[in-house]
Amino acid sequence: MLEGAELYFNVDHGYLEGLVRGCKASLLTQQDYINLVQCETLEDLKIHLQTTDYGNFLANQTNPLTVSKIDTEMRKRLCGEFEYFRNHSLEPLSTFLTYMTCSYMIDNVILLMNGALQKKSVKEILVKCHPLGRFTEMEAVNIAETPSDLFNAILVETPLAPFFQDCMSENALDELNIELLRNKLYKSYLETFYKFCKNHGDVTAEVMCPILEFEADRRAFIITLNSFGTELSKEDRETLYPAFGKLYPEGLRLLAQAEDFDQMKTIADHYEVYKPLFEAIGGNGGKTLEDVFYEREVQMNVLAFNRQFHYGVFYAYVKLKEQEMRNIVWIAECISQRHRTKINSYIPIL
Amino acid sequence: MGSMFRSEEVALVQLFLPTAAAYTCVSRLGELGLVEFRDLNASVSAFQRRFVVDVRRCEELEKTFTFLQEEVQRAGLVLPPPEGRLPAPPPRDLLRIQEETERLAQELRDVRGNQQALRVQLHQLQLHAAVLGQGHSPQLAATHTYGASERTPLLQAPGGPHQDLRVNFVAGAVEPHKAPALERLLWRACRGFLIASFRELERPLEHPVTGEPATWMTFLISYWGEQIGQKIRKITDCFHCHIFPFLEQEEARRAALQQQSQELQEVLGETERFLSQVLGRVQQLLPPAQVQVRKMKAVYLALNQCSMSTTHKCLIAETWCAARDLPALQEALRDSSMEEGVSAVAHRIPSRDMPPTLIRTNRFTASFQGIVDAYGVGRYQEVNPAPYTIVTFPFLFAVMFGDVGHGLLMFLFALAMVLAENRPAMKAAQNEIWQTFFGGRYLLLLMGLFSVYTGFIYNECFSRASSIFPSGWSVAAMANQSGWSDAFLAQHTMLTLDPNVTGVFLGPYPFGIDPIWSLAANHLSFLNSFKMKMSVILGVVHMAFGVVLGVFNHMHFGQRHRLLLETLPELTFLLGLFGYLVFLVIYKWLRVSATNAASAPSILIHFINMFLFSHSPTNRPLYPRQEVVQAMLVVLALAMVPVLLLGTPLHLLHRHRRRRRRPTGRKEDKAGLLGLPDASVNCWGSDEEKAGGLEDEQEAEEPTVNVQVESFHRRTQPVHRHCSQETCLSSIPRRSLGPLAVGHRQPLTQFLSL
């Protein structure tokens, strides 16, 4: 791309970058978490959240307050911020932001299809859909019977269309196929997003590529872990791995052959990035692989804010905010279920 | 007005409020507005405080209020402002208010819900009627080709092999922005097994919730086969379309619909009448209740800042209170606690913290204080520059705006506002611009008045000169002396009046600028030069005055070293360079007269040469040995810069070091440094550390303050530390006054000359 794009960056995206940095400053601090953990009831939690930048976002909720209400309101807030960014963005940032929503859209489509499979009503599932991944045709997903149907009828106009190239098939949509579809879509999405960032060059590539590489590797690990003891063949498993990242290609080939967690760990030990992560599992506080990955993700996203003139901050902000929401929901759940022993195992955002 | 000069003396007062009377006491204090509470529970988080339950109840109530208020506003009604004094109600009244508002809110919710449901029904009916009335008859739809020309071939031609197949219809309405997507999705999903025709509604319908007019797209889909039918249902569901049964005998159907909607409208009218009754009750109840609950919440929030005594019998509050108001405070406490049969006590306690700045204003001084505060609020007991601003600000404005006519208009406008200030309509006006003007009415008044004055000096009224007195110049004398003939006059359009010719210049004009200048071609250049010089003089005087005000601060806080290290160098710098310029201007006015005007020296060149240490041979010196004097002044002024920059920090550092070496005998100068008379109350050990810390802070602060480049009005303010860079830099913008004064005049003159 352009040499010295930082010279021109602020012309188009300076306002939004400033805005997103301001938003990032409003993330809850360690002190806030300490206070939140001390709360006795959800009402206390609400009062404390009022003193932070969340403000009066729960003021119009009727009693009694539930965790899901808090979650919905927080999502709404994030969605409002994101919509604002998106409405004020110019190319290529707007494409970048569209890419960001794609992952939520995939999740929503899969969620709806699963719901249709289990004969649940669309309304029931719509509530669970992530607002960032909402699109008009979404609710019609359940009329499709095969992936090609799905593509041809519904998704061809959405940004998800390009990701469908690899997964056109006439197989009926059962649970396994939906899961395969999700992973294939995700793989294709990550690869396209990665290519987009790489082609964009500059600081954006420098910041976003490692984050996406980590995302790809994480998916590879998680897919491997989840496929143990299922009917998924090793060849099929390999086709689900995103074709980039630190593990690509040798690590992925090895992962495809792995048969249990220990073998996976041996493979991870070859990589200096992942070795400490796998070593941290089960350590203090009984961390799971997921927790460890989340922590690493938070770390990378926080670091993204150390560079200027790139789009990574938007990605990082949304991810950090999501993590914060997960934390609050976790704490709220622990409070409402009176299950205080585990309340401290949220992922701190440093 | 004694408090105008400095901010008032403020004392830290500890209040012992017996638990029974705490609420009434704080409520009373709140009404009087005498004190500022200090948060004694800063380390306790918001939800662990003592009165959090009460605060929460108030918040619940406020939530209900917001609901009621929104409903009233949605109905297009306004809430009357509350009348009379409404003190915070006693805590037991909260329950009554709560019950009343809850009941009202519930009633309103019910009625509102009913009305909403009725409106939705009505909307449905109207939509249905509209869809039917849209005239998509099946034949029309089949033969209609708009926007669907590429689709037509896909259809089975009517009368083809499938003629026996039953054709089904789906009719409905969808929001216009979703229509294209729906159309495309239908086509993609059903592959030509349907014909859809979309049409926009001619008449927008009222949206049932918002009441705004909204257009709809009506559609009629005809399709073959049940499978497709189900698909279409699902798709239309997902687009939230309204689907209506489509029957052949539409005329009868439409009549039935008409009747239904009429009945509904009657019911709706009834409901709405009831709704307006309920809203009327809300309008009566809400405003006072809102004020009361807000006060109540404020009282509890203040109580949350108090700490509990060890015996749990009383609350202890720490408040800042003006020393003058202490008796009033005590009286208020006594009165309000007597009712409960206990007594609240207030007594003054020594404090190490710097008290807040308290400056009382009245309606006249408020706007001036506001201007000063916009630049920064002074520290406790610093000299308050606002009283001087009352004169300087309007005057400096008038220097720029000087014009009798314009000033008079402004003065009259402000006068009208001042005279009408007690009318309630004036204060109630919501317009933001109007409020700005109204808030600064006294400022405008003075600005107008001063403008009239400077306008007389400039001799300008709507940019035209007026001749009140006879001019000091005589054209007749000039004409006689130099023998201007008619022919000469016809040839020359420009003539010069020479003051050296006797009888031409009779003496200065009694007041302001001679009106004859408005005839002169060099009018502007003469006025510009005059205004520029005047501005420089005023500016330097103004700045010097600001520096001198700082002296009062240094004396008051006992910081004598700053007299030597700050005020003196500042004055030397200012007066040495710009004060000297003023001297040159006045000297030239006095010494150079019209007779030797031809060889008059240029002050500007002299002043530039002064900094360059050079001299131009064509420019005559003003007085003997001028260059030596000038060189000395420049060197002196430049020598002051390092003193200004480093003097105070080095002094403080030195004192800090010395104190560390000798830990005794430091008490009095520490107290002086901190500017607190009662600094030596606490124990010594922690004292020393704190004092040291404060000094470090001051040292650290100094360079950062230096960096600020401030607007020149700030110069009138002794509230901030006068620092070298400011002095150096702000001396220059002052000169911009002159061009501004010129700028006001020039366009108008040109306009009038057109």
Side-chain angles (χ1 to χ4, degrees), chain B residues 201-485:
Chain B
L201 218 57
E202 290 119 2
R203 201 160 45 82
L205 293 177
E206 224 173 59
H207 193 274
V209 182
T210 57
E212 281 166 10
T215 55
W216 287 81
M217 289 288 274
T218 62
F219 58 85
L220 178 73
I221 306 166
S222 41
Y223 62 92
W224 290 263
E226 252 336 283
Q227 283 280 327
I228 300 287
Q230 276 174 14
K231 256 191 192 174
I232 291 177
R233 288 266 143 71
K234 273 186 187 166
I235 291 171
T236 46
D237 271 356
C238 98
F239 278 89
H240 304 288
C241 305
H242 297 278
I243 300 295
F244 305 105
F246 189 85
L247 299 169
E248 299 294 327
Q249 58 274 41
E250 60 174 271
E251 274 312 312
R253 184 81 193 124
R254 271 168 79 174
L257 278 176
Q258 206 75 43
Q259 201 187 342
Q260 270 185 7
S261 67
Q262 248 168 20
E263 282 168 20
L264 256 181
Q265 247 154 359
E266 272 172 32
V267 182
L268 192 63
E270 206 57 47
T271 319
E272 267 165 9
R273 259 195 296 285
F274 186 54
L275 181 70
S276 64
Q277 273 179 17
V278 177
L279 284 177
R281 265 159 51 210
V282 173
Q283 269 179 305
Q284 271 182 0
L285 181 77
L286 196 55
Q290 252 177 329
V291 172
Q292 283 184 319
V293 170
R294 207 177 299 150
K295 280 187 179 173
M296 200 164 186
K297 185 178 164 192
V299 170
Y300 282 123
L301 286 177
L303 284 175
N304 264 340
Q305 297 187 334
C306 306
S307 66
M308 202 67 198
S309 72
T310 43
T311 55
H312 283 267
K313 289 235 173 82
C314 57
L315 288 167
I316 301 168
E318 278 182 20
T319 59
W320 295 113
C321 176
R324 224 172 69 182
D325 291 335
L326 277 176
L329 171 72
Q330 258 147 0
E331 194 185 339
L333 280 180
R334 203 168 44 239
D335 284 358
S336 49
S337 58
M338 280 302 250
E339 295 164 16
E340 304 289 330
V342 281
S343 61
V345 186
H347 65 86
R348 199 171 163 163
I349 54 171
S351 149
R352 291 194 50 79
D353 295 339
M354 186 177 285
T357 309
L358 173 72
I359 298 164
R360 280 176 221 258
T361 56
N362 53 28
R363 60 186 173 190
F364 178 68
T365 55
S367 53
F368 296 97
Q369 191 67 50
I371 291 174
V372 171
D373 287 348
Y375 289 97
V377 176
R379 286 180 302 165
Y380 177 60
Q381 293 248 301
E382 265 183 341
V383 172
N384 178 19
Y388 316 107
T389 313
I390 294 174
V391 179
T392 54
F393 186 88
F395 182 68
L396 286 179
F397 171 83
V399 167
M400 295 181 264
F401 194 72
D403 189 303
V404 178
H406 298 158
L408 199 64
L409 286 183
M410 193 162 164
F411 174 75
L412 290 177
F413 174 58
L415 191 67
M417 281 197 287
V418 169
L419 290 178
E421 71 183 352
N422 287 327
R423 285 196 203 159
M426 285 289 193
K427 285 175 192 154
Q430 290 295 314
N431 189 331
E432 213 169 302
I433 303 226
W434 171 255
Q435 279 175 348
T436 313
F437 279 129
F438 190 66
R441 57 195 181 277
Y442 287 101
L443 185 68
L444 287 178
L445 189 77
L446 286 192
M447 288 190 331
L449 205 60
F450 278 94
S451 295
V452 172
Y453 170 73
T454 43
F456 275 119
I457 290 185
Y458 296 163
N459 199 353
E460 273 176 34
C461 179
F462 295 117
S463 290
R464 306 307 296 257
S466 54
S467 41
I468 302 165
F469 304 104
S471 172
W473 295 71
S474 167
V475 183
M478 187 72 195
N480 291 336
Q481 293 281 335
S482 46
W484 290 342
S485 61

Side-chain angles (χ1 to χ4, degrees), chain A residues 13 21 51 67 82 87 112 131 136 139 141 160 176 261 263 315 319-320 341:
Chain A
H13 316 299
R21 280 176 190 279
T51 61
V67 180
F82 188 81
N87 292 342
L112 280 164
T136 2
E139 293 164 47
V141 161
L160 291 184
L176 181 68
F261 185 75
Q263 286 187 17
Y315 185 86
K319 292 287 165 192
L320 286 177
T341 43

Side-chain angles (χ1 to χ4, degrees), chain A residues 264-289:
Chain A
M264 203 165 97
K265 195 168 177 214
T266 331
I267 297 162
D269 282 350
H270 297 312
Y271 296 89
E272 57 167 342
V273 189
Y274 300 114
K275 194 176 173 196
L277 294 187
F278 276 78
E279 276 165 3
I281 297 173
N284 47 347
K287 281 180 189 161
T288 61
L289 182 62

Side-chain angles (χ1 to χ4, degrees), chain A residues 100-253:
Chain A
M100 277 171 62
T101 58
C102 283
S103 66
Y104 301 100
M105 284 165 74
I106 294 175
D107 284 344
N108 283 351
V109 167
I110 301 295
L111 192 65
L112 280 164
M113 273 165 32
N114 270 328
L117 207 64
Q118 289 158 13
K119 302 269 182 284
K120 283 186 186 160
S121 80
V122 179
K123 285 219 173 61
E124 201 178 317
I125 306 198
L126 268 185
V127 184
K128 292 183 193 158
C129 286
H130 200 289
L132 278 186
R134 222 165 248 273
F135 55 104
T136 2
E137 294 94 339
M138 192 168 82
E139 293 164 47
V141 161
N142 56 359
I143 62 166
E145 271 138 30
T146 64
S148 332
D149 238 14
L150 185 67
F151 172 74
N152 285 332
I154 298 145
L155 299 180
V156 67
E157 276 185 2
T158 63
L160 291 184
F163 312 139
F164 256 86
Q165 282 163 352
D166 300 334
C167 32
M168 301 286 266
S169 70
E170 294 297 328
N171 296 337
L173 286 168
D174 56 21
E175 210 158 309
L176 181 68
N177 276 332
I178 291 178
E179 202 49 41
L180 284 181
L181 180 66
R182 178 216 292 273
N183 284 313
K184 277 184 184 162
L185 279 179
Y186 222 96
K187 163 192 156 82
S188 166
Y189 155 68
L190 276 181
E191 282 167 5
T192 323
F193 196 10
Y194 184 75
K195 211 181 288 164
F196 171 80
C197 292
K198 191 123 206 159
N199 285 342
H200 185 273
D202 269 337
V203 193
T204 303
E206 284 167 37
V207 172
M208 278 310 290
C209 286
I211 292 180
L212 290 175
E213 278 165 11
F214 170 74
E215 183 71 27
D217 293 344
R218 172 162 80 169
R219 283 203 77 78
F221 280 123
I222 300 276
I223 289 170
T224 316
L225 189 65
N226 289 341
S227 68
F228 294 146
T230 61
E231 50 196 290
L232 192 70
S233 71
K234 284 178 180 166
E235 291 75 43
D236 280 348
R237 195 200 292 173
E238 199 172 355
T239 59
L240 299 181
Y241 296 148
F244 67 97
K246 293 247 179 353
L247 296 177
Y248 178 78
E250 295 84 3
L252 291 180
R253 206 167 300 143

Side-chain angles (χ1 to χ4, degrees), chain B residues 7 26 35 66 82 104 121 177 180 218 223 238 241 249 499 550 570 617 726 734 750:
Chain B
S7 60
V26 173
V35 293
T66 326
L104 213 51
Q121 264 182 35
H177 67 269
T218 62
Y223 62 92
C238 98
C241 305
Q249 58 274 41
E570 271 172 5
E726 272 169 48
R734 175 49 53 108
Q750 276 161 10

